[in-house]
Amino acid sequence: MKEFVQHPIYGEIVYNESFLTGKKTLTINGVDAQPVSKNEFTVEGKKVVIVGSHLVGIKILINNVAIEVSPKPKWYEIVFAVLPLIFLLTWGNSVALCSIFPVVGGAIGGALGGIGSITSLFLMKNAKSLIAKLLIGIGAFVVTVLIAFALALLIITLIA
């Protein structure tokens, strides 16, 4: 994800983080920062430290000046993101509830819920409007639960 910030002292800050590899690049006022380690860079003799990631919010520290590049997730984004995980972990481990609407639980349900939660948070962070974020959260919940339902039916069919 590429983020742009205009700072009164340091000018335009361009931060890019690859979602798949986690590789980070940084440009401050048109000058490419040289990586020292995964989260530390130098630019024109100044030490730059990157704190956080795209999912939890990003701050850049330049000479102990904190610059927010990407905001932290809002409370409703976190709530909607953890719903698939909580639902599958509770519903999938109850025999009475699974007799009504079967879903996978345990390790498979937890892994599926975790993937659904991370995907939901990532997509909601990229959306701009509140309505879009809420629709993405609800949609990710429904899709995750339907996949867990389909897997449960597949397992039941294979066992029976």
Side-chain angles (χ1 to χ4, degrees):
M1 291 303 307
K2 195 174 246 189
E3 302 282 347
F4 298 91
V5 174
Q6 190 64 38
H7 192 266
I9 299 171
Y10 298 108
E12 184 182 54
I13 299 172
V14 180
Y15 173 81
N16 191 16
E17 178 181 347
S18 171
F19 178 69
L20 296 177
T21 63
K23 182 181 177 185
K24 301 170 184 176
T25 59
L26 182 65
T27 304
I28 300 175
N29 210 19
V31 179
D32 291 335
Q34 301 304 314
V36 175
S37 68
K38 183 177 179 180
N39 292 324
E40 290 185 16
F41 292 83
T42 59
V43 61
E44 296 178 346
K46 297 174 187 166
K47 180 180 175 183
V48 180
V49 179
I50 298 171
V51 179
S53 71
H54 181 67
L55 290 178
V56 297
I58 303 165
K59 285 188 180 179
I60 295 176
L61 303 173
I62 305 172
N63 291 340
N64 294 325
V65 175
I67 302 166
E68 186 178 82
V69 175
S70 175
K72 294 179 181 178
K74 306 279 191 283
W75 67 269
Y76 54 85
E77 293 174 339
I78 295 170
V79 168
F80 275 102
V82 298
L83 275 179
L85 179 63
I86 291 171
F87 180 82
L88 290 181
L89 288 178
T90 54
W91 193 284
N93 289 316
S94 170
V95 175
L97 293 175
C98 280
S99 65
I100 300 167
F101 181 75
V103 295
V104 290
I108 297 171
L112 183 60
I115 291 168
S117 294
I118 295 295
T119 304
S120 175
L121 183 60
F122 178 76
L123 293 174
M124 282 190 287
K125 287 272 296 175
N126 290 331
K128 300 297 179 203
S129 73
L130 176 63
I131 299 297
K133 290 178 185 215
L134 295 178
L135 289 175
I136 289 169
I138 293 168
F141 174 77
V142 168
V143 167
T144 304
V145 170
L146 288 177
I147 292 172
F149 174 69
L151 284 174
L153 290 181
L154 178 66
I155 292 170
I156 291 169
T157 304
L158 292 175
I159 290 174

